[in-house]
Amino acid sequence: VKNVVIGQCKLCLAENGRLLESHLLAAGFYRRILSTQSNPHPLLISAKGMRSSSDQVRDNVLCEDCERLFAKNGEDYALRVAADRRSFKLLDELTRCGLTRGKLEDSRWSEIRSSPKVKRDHLAYFALSVFWRAAIHRWPDPEDSTRTIKIELGQTNTESLRLFLLGEAALPPTANLTFYVLTDRLSQATIYLPGRTSKVGFRWGYGFVACGFMFNLFLGKSVDPTASRVCLIHSPERFIWIRGGEQKTLEAVGHISRQRAAKSFPR
Ligand SMILES: [Zn+2]
């Protein structure tokens, strides 16, 4: 193993641990959409705009045990069902199970009773682990050595997420996660690292996109019944939303991108 640093693990808080080179978003997500053909790199959307890149964001943050926990509880499954350049296992399975169509145009979803084999707990754990990683460290931006990548979730929320990821506490009812499976090829070849997407009253939204997944995390001091109704974790239906259309995705990601540009920190 190369690039080991001795220090405190930010998840289990063990001192003098061997910290491995952790990724903000697992290297496998970049590998899934790497191609040897005409487009050799995934489409990376960031403060600098949209470009092809396989630059990965990494630093020594977690110990080996915690890296293994992340893999076992979420990342391995998420990677297995994410889109690659030939297929998208999660979308295929949800479609096979039958989607429910809403009244609004392009409004489709899957509930846990129709797709019980989809590992929603693993997908939620994976998503929260990525948001938490983005919040607990200033990650060096491989595109720009003067900048770092970090989101501010607030101390209480960050600690709640840490306890959830360690299996020591449930996710508070004030936190909501919405999960979209994106049906168009462009979104499936896109990576957008975590950024802030909205602030409505005293509720903050954050998002990221990776290989056909779009996750949005909403945090506030009080419970938001509307957000809880559509939440992957707190809704009784454990909703997964299906959404298509390159235009909509780009608008959403573009919004994230502008927010991130405004929030980029000088190192
Ligand atoms: Zn650890």
Side-chain angles (χ1 to χ4, degrees):
V1 183
K2 53 180 182 175
N3 293 333
V4 171
V5 166
I6 302 299
Q8 183 180 33
C9 171
K10 294 204 172 170
L11 186 65
C12 66
L13 306 181
E15 308 260 10
N16 301 318
R18 293 174 74 242
L19 304 182
L20 307 187
E21 195 167 71
S22 305
H23 287 78
L24 176 54
L25 183 70
F29 283 96
Y30 295 82
R31 274 198 298 273
R32 283 191 80 76
I33 44 182
L34 284 179
S35 161
T36 50
Q37 298 143 22
S38 56
N39 175 22
H41 299 298
L43 193 61
L44 190 73
I45 300 180
S46 73
K48 288 185 140 182
M50 201 185 304
R51 65 190 190 87
S52 281
S53 170
S54 54
D55 285 347
Q56 293 164 26
V57 179
R58 53 190 141 196
D59 210 351
N60 299 77
V61 176
L62 300 173
C63 75
E64 200 168 357
D65 287 349
C66 289
E67 283 283 350
R68 239 194 316 261
L69 189 72
F70 275 7
K72 178 172 73 83
N73 284 358
E75 208 159 80
D76 286 352
Y77 176 75
L79 269 170
R80 214 159 48 234
V81 300
D84 62 22
R85 57 187 198 277
R86 282 186 223 93
S87 67
F88 191 175
K89 287 208 178 86
L90 182 60
L91 179 58
D92 291 347
E93 181 167 358
L94 292 169
T95 308
R96 212 166 36 238
C97 292
L99 302 174
T100 308
R101 205 168 273 276
K103 285 190 185 124
L104 293 173
E105 189 198 347
D106 193 34
S107 152
R108 287 174 294 164
W109 65 85
S110 182
E111 304 177 16
I112 191 164
R113 61 176 178 179
S114 66
S115 53
K117 287 187 179 156
V118 169
K119 296 184 175 178
R120 286 166 165 79
D121 288 341
H122 284 66
L123 292 164
Y125 186 98
F126 158 71
L128 294 174
S129 80
V130 173
F131 285 116
W132 176 81
R133 272 177 267 195
I136 46 96
H137 188 67
R138 290 184 188 276
W139 298 83
D141 186 343
E143 293 175 74
D144 182 347
S145 61
T146 66
R147 290 188 178 281
T148 53
I149 299 166
K150 188 178 188 301
I151 55 175
E152 299 294 339
L153 299 182
Q155 207 176 343
T156 310
N157 292 321
T158 308
E159 180 62 6
S160 295
L161 283 182
R162 190 182 72 84
L163 295 175
F164 168 84
L165 293 169
L166 281 172
E168 292 176 10
L171 191 73
T174 51
N176 293 112
L177 185 68
T178 50
F179 177 34
Y180 294 91
V181 170
L182 305 170
T183 58
D184 64 283
R185 292 302 298 159
L186 177 67
S187 309
Q188 290 167 10
T190 295
I191 286 176
Y192 178 78
L193 297 171
R196 200 179 93 188
T197 53
S198 67
K199 181 181 182 299
V200 179
F202 291 100
R203 290 190 72 79
W204 285 263
Y206 307 84
F208 76 90
V209 174
C211 303
F213 300 154
M214 178 153 84
F215 288 101
N216 289 101
L217 173 67
F218 299 96
L219 298 170
K221 281 200 163 56
S222 55
V223 173
D224 178 347
T226 311
S228 300
R229 276 292 300 143
V230 297
C231 179
L232 174 65
I233 296 171
H234 297 310
S235 70
E237 298 88 351
R238 309 288 308 270
F239 284 115
I240 296 175
W241 302 92
I242 317 296
R243 163 172 175 171
E246 298 186 355
Q247 192 54 43
K248 276 187 181 170
T249 305
L250 285 177
E251 280 168 15
V253 175
H255 182 64
I256 300 173
S257 188
R258 280 197 301 280
Q259 291 283 353
R260 189 186 148 197
K263 284 282 155 192
S264 291
F265 294 87
R267 199 184 280 181

